[in-house]
Amino acid sequence: MPAHLAVTGGRLRLARNEALPTRTGHDVDPLSALLSAAQALTAGEFAAVQVLARPATGARTRRFRRRLGKLRLAASGVAGPSLRMQMFDALTLGVVSKAPSRISGRVDPVAAAALRQAVVKNSGSLWETEVRYAVGVPTPDGVEERRWTRRRLRGLAHGFASAFGMHSGLNWWARKPLRDPDRAMAQRWLARGHLVSTVELAALAHLPLDGDMAGVVRAGAQCVAPPPQVTANASCSSTEARLLGDSDAGTSSVIGLRIADGRQHAHILGATGCGKSTLMGRIILDDVAACRGVMVIDPKGDLVADVLDRLPDETRHRVVLIDPIAELPAGELRPCLNVLAEGDPELMVDNLVGIFRRIFASSWGPRTDDVLRASCLTLLATAEARTKPPTLAEVPRLLADRNYRERVVRELPDDRTGSVAASIAVLNDFWDGYRNLSEAGRQAVCAPLLNKLRAFLLRDFVAQTVAREQSTVNLRKVLDGGILLVRLPKGVLGDETARLLGSFIVAAAWQAASERAKSEQGARIDASLYIDEAANFLNLPYPLEDMLAEARAYRLSLVLAHQNLAQLTPELREGISANTRNKVFFSCSPEDAKALAPHVAPQLTEHDLAHLDGYQAAVRLSVDGARTPAFTMRTRPLPEPVEGRAGLRTRSITEKRKAGRDDFQTRRG
C-alpha cells in the first residue's frame, strides 16, 4: 500500500478444534457481507482480503485425525475427567476392565452431532488455510485528525473481520493480530494454518454468485483465441491481406483477412460507438495504401472525415469527394454523377425505378412506376437526336411542359434502331394516352411522382451531383484504383434525399462493376464498396444474394455495416446472413445476440455477443472458401491525423487533382 497510509489488519483463525466444521450452507452469498463492508470505503482508502490455502500434507492430516479422536471420546461420554472418574470407580469396586471403551458412559447428543459433521469434513480433501485482511486510510497532519483516523481504521477493520461471522457454526473464525500487515499481505507467506474442507474453502473464497450484488461488475464476453489459419494471414503483405486487429486471447497475434477471402464480402454489426467506424477506417486506409479501388458511402460523415484526415499526400489526387457541406474554391463545380448518362439504358432505368419504388413503397403504385419508366426511356431514346445526355431533372419538365413534351416525343425514332432497346410503339401509345387526359387527369397521374422528384431535385447539392449533363466521376476508374468518398449526412440532406442519392451511387457502382465482365478476370483490380448503415442504400430491384454472388466474379468486395438487425427488411437480412461469409459482430442488443449466436457457436454464446467490450469484436472469417471457428479480437486505433489536414480537406483535394499528374498506373505497374 502507499507509504502515506495508516494501515491496520489482522488474521482469522479457527476458534475451536479444527476438526469441527464451520457453516457452509448459506441462504445468501457469504461474500455479500464482505462486499457491503467494502462499500464503506471512501476516496483514498484501501482494503485487501487474502485467503491463503495450500493442500494439507500427510503429517498435518494425521494431527487432524488425532483431534478427531478426541471428538469421538467426547461423543461417547467418557472423555476427559469423566473417563478418569469412571475408571477410578471401577477399580475401587474390584472390577477389571479390558479397555476404556468398555466403560459405560452417557452419550452426549450434541457432541455426537458434532462428531458426525467432523467425520464428513474429514472424508474429503483438506486445505491448510488462513484469512488475512488489511485496511489503509490516508494519514492526516493534525492531532485530532489522527485520532479520528485511528478510530476510522478500527471501525473499518472490525467491519471486514465481522463479515466472516456468516461462517459461524460448530466452529468460527476468531480475530487475531497481524504484525506489519502491509508487508505480510505483500509476501503472502503462510506459516501454519488451520485445516478446512474443500466445501469450507469454497464458501470462503469464490466468485460472487449474485450478479446484482453491490460492488460486483458482471463478467463480459469470454475471449477466444483465433484459429491458426487466421493468424497465418498476418504474414501476408499489405497487397495480399487487410489488417483487422489483434487477438485478445492466447498468444498475441495479428488478425488479417486475405484479399481473395475478402471477396466473400463482410458483414459488420454493432451499436454506435463500439468500433465499427474504426475498423472500417483502418481497412480503407489499407486498401488506399495498396492501390486498390475504394468506394465509401457514409450517412453520418465521421468515417469519411477520419479517412480524409489520414490520407497520404501522394494518394489525394485519386480522391473524388461528394460532400454537401464541403467548401469549394470559387468557380469550382461539385463532382457530378449523371444517373442517366452511361451504361446500359434499360438497366439504368430498372435501377432508377426500383430505387424509387423501394424507398417510397408506402406511396408508390403501378401508375407512378409506369410514368417514371416511360419518361426516362423516352429521354434516353431521344438523346441522340437532341445531341445531349438526358438528366433526371428533365423528367418533371417532360411531364409538366406541353411544348417541351411534344418536341421530345416527335424525336422518338420510327424503329428499334435507337439507343434504347424498347418498343417505340409502346412509348408512343403511352404518350398518346397521356395527351388525351384532361389537365386534371394529368395532374392526378403525375402528382405522386413530381412531389418526390421536386423535393429531391430542389436541393442545390443534389442538382449539381446527379442532374448535370456531363458526368465528372468515372466509376470504372474508381474501381481500378481510385477513391470515391460519399458523405451524406441526414441532418443536412434529410432522410429520403440521403437514401435516394446513396442508392443511386450504389446502383451506378454496381453497373460499373458489371461492365467488368467485358474484361479478362486477371485484368480486374480488386475493389471494395464500403456502405455504412447499409439498409438505407441497398434498394436495387434485384435480390441482394444475386448481387453478392456476381460481385465476387467482378472482384468487388462489399463491406456492409449497420447497427441492428431491425434496420433490415426480411429479404436483406436473409441475403446478408447467407451470402456474407466474413462476420464481425461488435456489442449488440440481447435480441440481436440471440439471432446472431448461430453464426459464432459453439465458441461464443448470446451472452458473449451482448457483453463485448468497446472495440472488441466476435469474428468469423472465411479462409480459402472454408468457414473458420469464431474468435474474438480487438481493433486497432486509427493512425494519427496528418497535421493541419482538418478543415482543408476539400481545397487540398481540388488542388491535388488539378496540379498533380496522375502517375497511379505507372506506380501500380
Side-chain angles (χ1 to χ4, degrees):
M1 292 185 179
H4 65 279
L5 293 179
V7 182
T8 189
R11 58 180 183 156
L12 301 178
R13 309 271 292 180
L14 290 177
R16 299 182 64 190
N17 187 338
E18 64 181 356
L20 293 172
T22 59
R23 181 185 176 189
T24 56
H26 301 278
D27 296 331
V28 297
D29 192 342
L31 292 182
S32 59
L34 187 62
L35 292 175
S36 296
Q39 294 297 308
L41 297 173
T42 59
E45 297 178 346
F46 299 89
V49 177
Q50 285 183 352
V51 179
L52 304 177
R54 65 183 175 218
T57 60
R60 190 70 180 84
T61 55
R62 284 194 294 271
R63 286 196 295 270
F64 177 85
R65 293 190 178 96
R66 283 198 294 270
R67 295 185 177 184
L68 185 62
K70 294 181 180 179
L71 292 178
R72 290 193 178 98
L73 292 175
S76 65
V78 296
S82 176
L83 174 62
R84 290 193 294 271
M85 290 293 293
Q86 292 185 46
M87 291 179 66
F88 178 76
D89 292 342
L91 290 173
T92 57
L93 294 174
V95 178
V96 180
S97 177
K98 295 182 180 181
S101 61
R102 296 281 184 157
I103 301 174
S104 63
R106 185 177 180 181
V107 177
D108 185 353
V110 176
L115 176 62
R116 285 193 296 270
Q117 295 188 42
V119 171
V120 173
K121 175 177 178 177
N122 184 53
S123 62
S125 301
L126 298 175
W127 298 80
E128 197 169 356
T129 305
E130 182 176 280
V131 181
R132 296 173 183 170
Y133 61 91
V135 179
V137 176
T139 304
D141 296 332
V143 176
E144 291 297 328
E145 289 81 1
R146 290 185 180 181
R147 291 176 182 172
W148 179 87
T149 298
R150 287 194 292 270
R151 292 195 296 270
R152 175 71 174 164
L153 273 174
R154 286 195 298 269
L156 289 174
H158 180 71
F160 280 96
S162 62
F164 289 88
M166 295 186 66
H167 302 278
S168 299
L170 293 176
N171 211 341
W172 63 89
W173 293 96
R175 182 177 178 181
K176 304 294 182 181
L178 179 64
R179 293 182 179 180
D180 199 2
D182 51 347
R183 181 182 178 187
M185 298 285 285
Q187 289 181 343
R188 301 182 182 179
W189 174 257
L190 176 59
R192 183 179 181 183
H194 283 168
L195 296 190
V196 299
S197 66
T198 303
V199 177
E200 291 176 289
L201 181 59
L204 282 174
H206 61 270
L207 295 176
L209 303 178
D210 186 0
D212 298 328
M213 193 182 303
V216 175
V217 179
R218 293 286 305 248
Q222 63 174 323
C223 299
V224 179
Q229 56 266 46
V230 172
T231 56
N233 292 340
S235 60
C236 300
S237 64
S238 61
T239 59
E240 298 175 336
R242 299 182 180 95
L243 175 63
L244 300 182
D246 300 287
S247 62
D248 57 0
T251 305
S252 179
S253 56
V254 178
I255 307 301
L257 176 65
R258 291 195 306 172
I259 303 304
D261 297 325
R263 298 172 195 153
Q264 301 289 338
H265 313 297
H267 178 204
I268 302 177
L269 182 143
T272 301
C274 61
K276 299 192 306 295
S277 296
T278 300
L279 173 62
M280 294 174 69
R282 287 213 54 114
I283 57 180
I284 288 170
L285 292 175
D286 284 349
D287 284 342
V288 169
C291 297
R292 291 186 286 267
V294 173
M295 290 182 285
V296 181
I297 300 178
D298 179 17
K300 301 186 187 73
D302 295 338
L303 175 60
V304 167
D306 289 341
V307 172
L308 284 173
D309 288 344
R310 292 162 175 82
L311 282 178
D313 286 334
E314 60 271 16
T315 64
R316 293 181 66 81
H317 63 278
R318 296 158 46 195
V319 176
V320 177
L321 175 63
I322 298 178
D323 185 355
I325 62 176
E327 296 182 2
L328 296 174
E332 181 71 19
L333 295 176
R334 298 185 183 277
C336 175
L337 182 64
N338 186 353
V339 294
L340 292 179
E342 298 178 358
D344 181 76
E346 290 184 347
L347 180 59
M348 282 191 297
V349 174
D350 286 341
N351 291 340
L352 185 67
V353 175
I355 290 169
F356 272 94
R357 181 171 59 247
R358 285 176 176 263
I359 293 178
F360 300 104
S362 60
S363 58
W364 192 273
R367 178 183 294 179
T368 308
D369 194 286
D370 188 31
V371 171
L372 179 58
R373 187 182 301 275
S375 300
C376 292
L377 287 174
T378 300
L379 291 173
L380 288 168
T382 59
E384 294 182 0
R386 292 182 293 122
T387 66
K388 63 177 183 179
T391 68
L392 192 61
E394 294 181 71
V395 174
R397 185 183 178 189
L398 180 66
L399 295 173
D401 188 338
R402 177 179 179 181
N403 294 330
Y404 178 76
R405 180 174 60 252
E406 293 296 333
R407 186 168 66 251
V408 171
V409 172
R410 284 197 300 269
E411 293 173 352
L412 284 171
D414 295 333
D415 51 26
R416 300 175 62 90
T417 60
S419 60
V420 178
S423 175
I424 304 303
V426 174
L427 289 177
N428 283 319
D429 290 342
F430 172 84
W431 292 115
D432 289 341
Y434 187 82
R435 187 183 302 111
N436 293 332
L437 292 174
S438 64
E439 187 65 27
R442 285 195 290 270
Q443 290 291 336
V445 169
C446 298
L449 174 61
L450 292 181
N451 59 24
K452 299 171 180 59
L453 274 178
R454 285 171 180 157
F456 179 64
L457 296 170
L458 281 176
R459 297 179 181 272
D460 181 66
F461 167 73
V462 174
Q464 292 190 43
T465 303
V466 299
R468 296 209 316 266
E469 295 175 356
Q470 296 298 329
S471 291
T472 60
V473 180
N474 189 331
L475 292 181
R476 288 294 302 273
K477 290 185 177 180
V478 172
L479 292 174
D480 290 339
I483 306 168
L484 174 63
L485 304 178
V486 183
R487 191 166 181 256
L488 303 173
K490 294 182 180 180
V492 176
L493 297 175
D495 182 44
E496 291 180 349
T497 300
R499 293 175 65 190
L500 274 172
L501 187 54
S503 300
F504 289 159
I505 295 174
V506 170
W510 173 241
Q511 193 165 343
S514 302
E515 293 177 2
R516 285 186 159 193
K518 302 174 183 177
S519 61
E520 296 182 0
Q521 189 169 4
R524 302 169 190 169
I525 299 173
D526 279 285
S528 297
L529 173 58
Y530 298 87
I531 309 177
D532 197 7
E533 301 300 335
N536 293 322
F537 309 116
L538 295 177
N539 297 300
L540 300 182
Y542 33 84
L544 177 64
E545 53 267 25
D546 294 344
M547 176 180 173
L548 294 176
E550 294 179 25
R552 286 193 285 271
Y554 302 145
R555 295 200 174 183
L556 175 64
S557 305
L558 273 73
V559 179
L560 309 178
H562 60 105
Q563 297 181 28
N564 55 71
L565 294 176
Q567 296 173 312
L568 304 177
T569 62
E571 295 80 7
L572 281 179
R573 181 173 174 176
E574 183 177 352
I576 291 176
S577 176
N579 295 280
T580 54
R581 305 290 299 278
N582 300 296
K583 310 287 186 181
V584 181
F585 301 142
F586 291 89
S587 180
C588 56
S589 66
E591 294 79 11
D592 287 350
K594 183 177 182 179
L596 297 173
H599 289 291
V600 295
Q603 290 78 18
L604 296 167
T605 64
E606 298 176 27
H607 174 83
D608 297 321
L609 292 178
H611 292 83
L612 291 165
D613 291 336
Y615 303 99
Q616 183 187 25
V619 185
R620 190 167 190 177
L621 301 180
S622 173
V623 177
D624 294 330
R627 297 285 297 276
T628 61
F631 61 94
T632 57
M633 73 167 191
R634 291 193 178 273
T635 60
R636 291 186 176 184
L638 288 170
E640 291 297 322
V642 177
E643 186 176 357
R645 179 69 58 76
L648 300 176
R649 301 184 186 106
T650 306
R651 186 175 298 276
S652 176
I653 292 172
T654 304
E655 292 174 354
K656 285 288 181 181
R657 290 177 61 82
K658 284 185 175 181
R661 181 178 178 181
D662 189 359
D663 59 344
F664 165 66
Q665 296 292 342
T666 303
R667 289 187 293 102
R668 182 170 61 84

Short mmCIF file of all heavy atoms in Angstrom, two decimals, residues 534-569:
data_model
loop_
_atom_site.label_atom_id
_atom_site.label_comp_id
_atom_site.label_asym_id
_atom_site.label_seq_id
_atom_site.Cartn_x
_atom_site.Cartn_y
_atom_site.Cartn_z
N ALA A 534 -26.06 0.20 -44.13
CA ALA A 534 -26.30 -0.37 -45.46
C ALA A 534 -27.77 -0.52 -45.80
O ALA A 534 -28.14 -0.47 -46.98
CB ALA A 534 -25.60 -1.74 -45.54
N ALA A 535 -28.62 -0.69 -44.80
CA ALA A 535 -30.04 -0.88 -45.09
C ALA A 535 -30.66 0.30 -45.82
O ALA A 535 -31.67 0.15 -46.52
CB ALA A 535 -30.81 -1.14 -43.79
N ASN A 536 -30.07 1.48 -45.67
CA ASN A 536 -30.61 2.67 -46.32
C ASN A 536 -30.33 2.71 -47.82
O ASN A 536 -31.03 3.43 -48.56
CB ASN A 536 -30.03 3.93 -45.67
CG ASN A 536 -30.49 4.11 -44.24
OD1 ASN A 536 -31.64 3.83 -43.93
ND2 ASN A 536 -29.61 4.57 -43.39
N PHE A 537 -29.32 2.01 -48.28
CA PHE A 537 -28.84 2.20 -49.65
C PHE A 537 -28.90 0.94 -50.52
O PHE A 537 -28.57 1.01 -51.69
CB PHE A 537 -27.40 2.72 -49.62
CG PHE A 537 -27.21 3.91 -48.72
CD1 PHE A 537 -26.41 3.86 -47.61
CD2 PHE A 537 -27.88 5.10 -48.99
CE1 PHE A 537 -26.25 4.95 -46.77
CE2 PHE A 537 -27.73 6.20 -48.17
CZ PHE A 537 -26.92 6.12 -47.05
N LEU A 538 -29.30 -0.17 -49.97
CA LEU A 538 -29.42 -1.40 -50.76
C LEU A 538 -30.86 -1.50 -51.28
O LEU A 538 -31.65 -2.36 -50.87
CB LEU A 538 -29.05 -2.62 -49.91
CG LEU A 538 -27.59 -2.67 -49.45
CD1 LEU A 538 -27.37 -3.87 -48.54
CD2 LEU A 538 -26.64 -2.71 -50.63
N ASN A 539 -31.18 -0.63 -52.22
CA ASN A 539 -32.55 -0.54 -52.75
C ASN A 539 -32.61 -0.91 -54.22
O ASN A 539 -33.41 -0.36 -54.97
CB ASN A 539 -33.10 0.87 -52.53
CG ASN A 539 -33.22 1.22 -51.07
OD1 ASN A 539 -33.92 0.56 -50.32
ND2 ASN A 539 -32.52 2.26 -50.64
N LEU A 540 -31.75 -1.80 -54.66
CA LEU A 540 -31.73 -2.20 -56.07
C LEU A 540 -32.88 -3.16 -56.36
O LEU A 540 -33.35 -3.88 -55.47
CB LEU A 540 -30.39 -2.84 -56.41
CG LEU A 540 -29.17 -1.94 -56.18
CD1 LEU A 540 -27.90 -2.65 -56.60
CD2 LEU A 540 -29.31 -0.62 -56.91
N PRO A 541 -33.33 -3.21 -57.61
CA PRO A 541 -34.52 -4.00 -57.93
C PRO A 541 -34.29 -5.49 -58.09
O PRO A 541 -35.18 -6.20 -58.54
CB PRO A 541 -34.99 -3.38 -59.26
CG PRO A 541 -33.74 -2.89 -59.90
CD PRO A 541 -32.86 -2.42 -58.77
N TYR A 542 -33.12 -6.00 -57.76
CA TYR A 542 -32.87 -7.43 -57.88
C TYR A 542 -32.34 -7.95 -56.56
O TYR A 542 -31.84 -7.19 -55.72
CB TYR A 542 -31.90 -7.76 -59.02
CG TYR A 542 -30.83 -6.74 -59.27
CD1 TYR A 542 -29.65 -6.74 -58.54
CD2 TYR A 542 -31.00 -5.76 -60.23
CE1 TYR A 542 -28.68 -5.78 -58.76
CE2 TYR A 542 -30.03 -4.80 -60.45
CZ TYR A 542 -28.88 -4.82 -59.72
OH TYR A 542 -27.93 -3.86 -59.94
N PRO A 543 -32.42 -9.25 -56.31
CA PRO A 543 -32.07 -9.81 -55.00
C PRO A 543 -30.61 -9.52 -54.63
O PRO A 543 -29.71 -9.56 -55.47
CB PRO A 543 -32.32 -11.31 -55.18
CG PRO A 543 -33.28 -11.41 -56.31
CD PRO A 543 -32.95 -10.27 -57.22
N LEU A 544 -30.39 -9.26 -53.35
CA LEU A 544 -29.04 -8.98 -52.86
C LEU A 544 -28.13 -10.18 -53.03
O LEU A 544 -26.94 -10.03 -53.34
CB LEU A 544 -29.10 -8.56 -51.39
CG LEU A 544 -27.76 -8.29 -50.72
CD1 LEU A 544 -27.06 -7.10 -51.36
CD2 LEU A 544 -27.93 -8.07 -49.23
N GLU A 545 -28.67 -11.39 -52.83
CA GLU A 545 -27.81 -12.57 -52.95
C GLU A 545 -27.25 -12.72 -54.35
O GLU A 545 -26.11 -13.16 -54.52
CB GLU A 545 -28.57 -13.84 -52.53
CG GLU A 545 -29.89 -14.06 -53.24
CD GLU A 545 -31.06 -13.48 -52.48
OE1 GLU A 545 -30.86 -12.53 -51.70
OE2 GLU A 545 -32.19 -13.97 -52.68
N ASP A 546 -28.03 -12.35 -55.38
CA ASP A 546 -27.51 -12.40 -56.75
C ASP A 546 -26.41 -11.37 -56.95
O ASP A 546 -25.39 -11.65 -57.60
CB ASP A 546 -28.64 -12.15 -57.75
CG ASP A 546 -29.69 -13.25 -57.74
OD1 ASP A 546 -29.38 -14.34 -57.19
OD2 ASP A 546 -30.79 -13.03 -58.24
N MET A 547 -26.61 -10.19 -56.38
CA MET A 547 -25.60 -9.14 -56.50
C MET A 547 -24.30 -9.56 -55.82
O MET A 547 -23.20 -9.40 -56.37
CB MET A 547 -26.14 -7.85 -55.87
CG MET A 547 -25.16 -6.70 -55.83
SD MET A 547 -25.91 -5.25 -55.07
CE MET A 547 -24.49 -4.18 -54.96
N LEU A 548 -24.39 -10.15 -54.62
CA LEU A 548 -23.19 -10.56 -53.91
C LEU A 548 -22.48 -11.69 -54.64
O LEU A 548 -21.24 -11.73 -54.69
CB LEU A 548 -23.56 -11.00 -52.49
CG LEU A 548 -24.11 -9.89 -51.57
CD1 LEU A 548 -24.52 -10.47 -50.23
CD2 LEU A 548 -23.08 -8.80 -51.37
N ALA A 549 -23.25 -12.62 -55.20
CA ALA A 549 -22.63 -13.73 -55.91
C ALA A 549 -21.89 -13.25 -57.17
O ALA A 549 -20.77 -13.69 -57.45
CB ALA A 549 -23.69 -14.77 -56.28
N GLU A 550 -22.48 -12.32 -57.90
CA GLU A 550 -21.83 -11.82 -59.11
C GLU A 550 -20.65 -10.91 -58.78
O GLU A 550 -19.67 -10.86 -59.53
CB GLU A 550 -22.85 -11.07 -59.96
CG GLU A 550 -23.95 -11.94 -60.52
CD GLU A 550 -24.95 -11.14 -61.33
OE1 GLU A 550 -24.57 -10.07 -61.85
OE2 GLU A 550 -26.12 -11.56 -61.44
N ALA A 551 -20.75 -10.17 -57.67
CA ALA A 551 -19.67 -9.24 -57.31
C ALA A 551 -18.36 -9.97 -57.10
O ALA A 551 -17.28 -9.42 -57.37
CB ALA A 551 -20.06 -8.45 -56.07
N ARG A 552 -18.40 -11.19 -56.59
CA ARG A 552 -17.16 -11.95 -56.38
C ARG A 552 -16.42 -12.15 -57.70
O ARG A 552 -15.20 -12.05 -57.76
CB ARG A 552 -17.47 -13.30 -55.73
CG ARG A 552 -17.83 -13.21 -54.27
CD ARG A 552 -17.82 -14.58 -53.62
NE ARG A 552 -18.98 -15.37 -53.99
CZ ARG A 552 -20.13 -15.36 -53.34
NH1 ARG A 552 -20.28 -14.60 -52.28
NH2 ARG A 552 -21.13 -16.12 -53.72
N ALA A 553 -17.19 -12.45 -58.74
CA ALA A 553 -16.54 -12.66 -60.04
C ALA A 553 -15.95 -11.37 -60.58
O ALA A 553 -14.94 -11.40 -61.29
CB ALA A 553 -17.55 -13.24 -61.03
N TYR A 554 -16.54 -10.23 -60.24
CA TYR A 554 -16.04 -8.94 -60.71
C TYR A 554 -14.95 -8.37 -59.80
O TYR A 554 -14.49 -7.26 -60.01
CB TYR A 554 -17.19 -7.93 -60.81
CG TYR A 554 -18.31 -8.36 -61.71
CD1 TYR A 554 -19.64 -8.04 -61.42
CD2 TYR A 554 -18.07 -9.10 -62.87
CE1 TYR A 554 -20.67 -8.42 -62.25
CE2 TYR A 554 -19.10 -9.50 -63.69
CZ TYR A 554 -20.40 -9.16 -63.38
OH TYR A 554 -21.43 -9.56 -64.20
N ARG A 555 -14.58 -9.15 -58.76
CA ARG A 555 -13.56 -8.73 -57.78
C ARG A 555 -13.96 -7.44 -57.08
O ARG A 555 -13.14 -6.56 -56.86
CB ARG A 555 -12.18 -8.59 -58.44
CG ARG A 555 -11.63 -9.91 -58.95
CD ARG A 555 -10.14 -9.88 -59.14
NE ARG A 555 -9.62 -11.18 -59.50
CZ ARG A 555 -8.34 -11.48 -59.68
NH1 ARG A 555 -7.44 -10.52 -59.53
NH2 ARG A 555 -7.96 -12.70 -59.97
N LEU A 556 -15.23 -7.36 -56.75
CA LEU A 556 -15.74 -6.26 -55.96
C LEU A 556 -16.17 -6.82 -54.61
O LEU A 556 -17.06 -7.67 -54.54
CB LEU A 556 -16.93 -5.58 -56.65
CG LEU A 556 -17.62 -4.47 -55.85
CD1 LEU A 556 -16.67 -3.30 -55.62
CD2 LEU A 556 -18.89 -4.01 -56.56
N SER A 557 -15.54 -6.34 -53.55
CA SER A 557 -15.87 -6.78 -52.20
C SER A 557 -16.82 -5.77 -51.57
O SER A 557 -16.55 -4.57 -51.60
CB SER A 557 -14.61 -6.91 -51.34
OG SER A 557 -13.66 -7.75 -51.96
N LEU A 558 -17.91 -6.26 -50.99
CA LEU A 558 -18.86 -5.39 -50.31
C LEU A 558 -18.67 -5.54 -48.80
O LEU A 558 -18.61 -6.67 -48.28
CB LEU A 558 -20.29 -5.73 -50.69
CG LEU A 558 -20.85 -5.03 -51.94
CD1 LEU A 558 -20.22 -5.62 -53.20
CD2 LEU A 558 -22.36 -5.14 -52.01
N VAL A 559 -18.57 -4.42 -48.12
CA VAL A 559 -18.49 -4.39 -46.65
C VAL A 559 -19.74 -3.66 -46.18
O VAL A 559 -19.87 -2.45 -46.37
CB VAL A 559 -17.21 -3.70 -46.17
CG1 VAL A 559 -17.17 -3.66 -44.64
CG2 VAL A 559 -15.98 -4.39 -46.72
N LEU A 560 -20.66 -4.39 -45.59
CA LEU A 560 -21.96 -3.86 -45.20
C LEU A 560 -22.01 -3.72 -43.68
O LEU A 560 -21.86 -4.71 -42.95
CB LEU A 560 -23.08 -4.79 -45.67
CG LEU A 560 -23.03 -5.18 -47.17
CD1 LEU A 560 -24.15 -6.15 -47.50
CD2 LEU A 560 -23.11 -3.95 -48.04
N ALA A 561 -22.20 -2.49 -43.22
CA ALA A 561 -22.21 -2.21 -41.78
C ALA A 561 -23.53 -1.56 -41.38
O ALA A 561 -24.10 -0.78 -42.15
CB ALA A 561 -21.03 -1.30 -41.40
N HIS A 562 -24.01 -1.90 -40.19
CA HIS A 562 -25.21 -1.25 -39.65
C HIS A 562 -25.25 -1.52 -38.16
O HIS A 562 -24.40 -2.21 -37.60
CB HIS A 562 -26.47 -1.75 -40.35
CG HIS A 562 -26.70 -3.23 -40.22
ND1 HIS A 562 -27.65 -3.76 -39.39
CD2 HIS A 562 -26.09 -4.27 -40.82
CE1 HIS A 562 -27.62 -5.08 -39.49
NE2 HIS A 562 -26.68 -5.42 -40.34
N GLN A 563 -26.29 -0.99 -37.49
CA GLN A 563 -26.34 -1.02 -36.03
C GLN A 563 -27.11 -2.20 -35.47
O GLN A 563 -26.70 -2.78 -34.47
CB GLN A 563 -26.96 0.28 -35.50
CG GLN A 563 -26.16 1.52 -35.82
CD GLN A 563 -26.80 2.77 -35.26
OE1 GLN A 563 -27.50 2.72 -34.25
NE2 GLN A 563 -26.58 3.90 -35.90
N ASN A 564 -28.21 -2.57 -36.08
CA ASN A 564 -29.01 -3.67 -35.53
C ASN A 564 -29.80 -4.33 -36.64
O ASN A 564 -29.97 -3.78 -37.74
CB ASN A 564 -29.95 -3.17 -34.43
CG ASN A 564 -30.83 -2.03 -34.89
OD1 ASN A 564 -31.75 -2.22 -35.69
ND2 ASN A 564 -30.56 -0.82 -34.41
N LEU A 565 -30.29 -5.53 -36.37
CA LEU A 565 -31.00 -6.31 -37.38
C LEU A 565 -32.37 -5.73 -37.70
O LEU A 565 -32.91 -6.00 -38.78
CB LEU A 565 -31.15 -7.75 -36.90
CG LEU A 565 -29.85 -8.55 -36.76
CD1 LEU A 565 -30.13 -9.93 -36.19
CD2 LEU A 565 -29.12 -8.66 -38.09
N ALA A 566 -32.95 -4.96 -36.79
CA ALA A 566 -34.27 -4.40 -37.04
C ALA A 566 -34.25 -3.41 -38.20
O ALA A 566 -35.30 -3.11 -38.77
CB ALA A 566 -34.80 -3.71 -35.78
N GLN A 567 -33.07 -2.89 -38.57
CA GLN A 567 -32.97 -1.97 -39.70
C GLN A 567 -33.15 -2.67 -41.04
O GLN A 567 -33.39 -2.01 -42.05
CB GLN A 567 -31.61 -1.27 -39.67
CG GLN A 567 -31.39 -0.38 -38.45
CD GLN A 567 -29.97 0.14 -38.39
OE1 GLN A 567 -29.00 -0.61 -38.55
NE2 GLN A 567 -29.82 1.43 -38.18
N LEU A 568 -33.01 -3.98 -41.08
CA LEU A 568 -33.03 -4.73 -42.33
C LEU A 568 -34.42 -5.29 -42.60
O LEU A 568 -35.11 -5.73 -41.67
CB LEU A 568 -32.03 -5.88 -42.29
CG LEU A 568 -30.57 -5.53 -41.98
CD1 LEU A 568 -29.73 -6.80 -41.91
CD2 LEU A 568 -30.01 -4.57 -43.01
N THR A 569 -34.80 -5.28 -43.86
CA THR A 569 -36.02 -5.99 -44.25
C THR A 569 -35.73 -7.49 -44.20
O THR A 569 -34.57 -7.92 -44.19
CB THR A 569 -36.42 -5.58 -45.67
OG1 THR A 569 -35.37 -5.97 -46.59
CG2 THR A 569 -36.64 -4.08 -45.77
#
